[in-house]
Amino acid sequence: MLAVALLLPPLLLCGVLALGRYEERLLRGPAPAPHAPAGRHLRAVPDLPSPEPPETPAEQTPADRRTGTGRGRHAA
């Protein structure tokens, strides 16, 4: 009877701790793949544009007053 009284509380404590660790492992979710990169890799500066010159329109049309095409900004 004395052995049960002395061994039962530590055994119950070990069981509770083991179940707690098991629950934490389940809540953490699946482990990431070993070849997956760690974290996010963000770039502070975007990639440079391609070295090709920008395309120019073949024909420049005059400004149209009704649609406002061709007008730039002015200081007024």
Side-chain angles (χ1 to χ4, degrees):
M1 203 58 154
L2 184 62
V4 172
L6 292 176
L7 293 177
L8 191 59
L11 288 175
L12 290 175
L13 179 63
C14 288
V16 168
L17 292 176
L19 287 174
R21 289 182 62 124
Y22 178 69
E23 182 184 13
E24 288 295 323
R25 190 185 322 166
L26 285 179
L27 290 176
R28 207 175 323 145
H35 56 40
R40 297 172 62 183
H41 296 284
L42 301 177
R43 295 187 179 118
V45 179
D47 292 337
L48 294 174
S50 63
E52 299 173 5
E55 294 182 19
T56 56
E59 182 179 306
Q60 295 283 342
T61 57
D64 186 2
R65 287 182 156 214
R66 286 174 277 141
T67 61
T69 59
R71 288 195 284 176
R73 295 181 61 112
H74 54 82

